[in-house]
Amino acid sequence: MPNAGERLLGEIVAGIEMLADHPNMARIVPESDQPFLRELIRPPFRMVYRRDPKHVRIVRVWRGERLLELPGEDTP
């Protein structure tokens, strides 16, 4: 029986693999408001990806409590 870390990693990989057939399955990243930038949530992680016409590109996988900082944004 896999430990919790292995199980979580398996869920993350399975979610990412589903994007090949279902690129619109996740919500738009709230802090970007860009329809091509979406995220899957698998607590405690967020998987942000860019949906292009022929590709899905993983942008980042990180802890869900962190906000996405887009290029050109001023940070306080």
Side-chain angles (χ1 to χ4, degrees), residues 37-52:
L37 201 58
R38 296 179 174 257
E39 68 180 350
L40 286 173
I41 306 293
R42 294 289 186 267
F45 293 98
R46 296 171 75 186
M47 296 158 282
V48 175
Y49 66 96
R50 181 183 175 105
R51 183 185 48 96
D52 294 328

Side-chain angles (χ1 to χ4, degrees), residues 36-38 47-51 56-62 68-70:
F36 59 84
L37 201 58
R38 296 179 174 257
M47 296 158 282
V48 175
Y49 66 96
R50 181 183 175 105
R51 183 185 48 96
V56 170
R57 300 175 195 277
I58 304 303
V59 174
R60 185 177 287 179
V61 177
W62 79 106
L68 179 63
E69 293 179 16
L70 299 172

Side-chain angles (χ1 to χ4, degrees), residues 9-68:
L9 181 60
E11 289 175 13
I12 290 170
V13 170
I16 290 171
E17 288 175 343
M18 288 185 351
L19 296 175
D21 294 325
H22 308 284
N24 295 321
M25 68 184 248
R27 72 179 188 171
I28 294 171
V29 174
E31 38 303 18
S32 78
D33 199 31
Q34 299 292 324
F36 59 84
L37 201 58
R38 296 179 174 257
E39 68 180 350
L40 286 173
I41 306 293
R42 294 289 186 267
F45 293 98
R46 296 171 75 186
M47 296 158 282
V48 175
Y49 66 96
R50 181 183 175 105
R51 183 185 48 96
D52 294 328
K54 294 185 179 186
H55 303 286
V56 170
R57 300 175 195 277
I58 304 303
V59 174
R60 185 177 287 179
V61 177
W62 79 106
R63 299 276 309 186
E65 64 272 5
R66 297 188 61 186
L67 295 178
L68 179 63

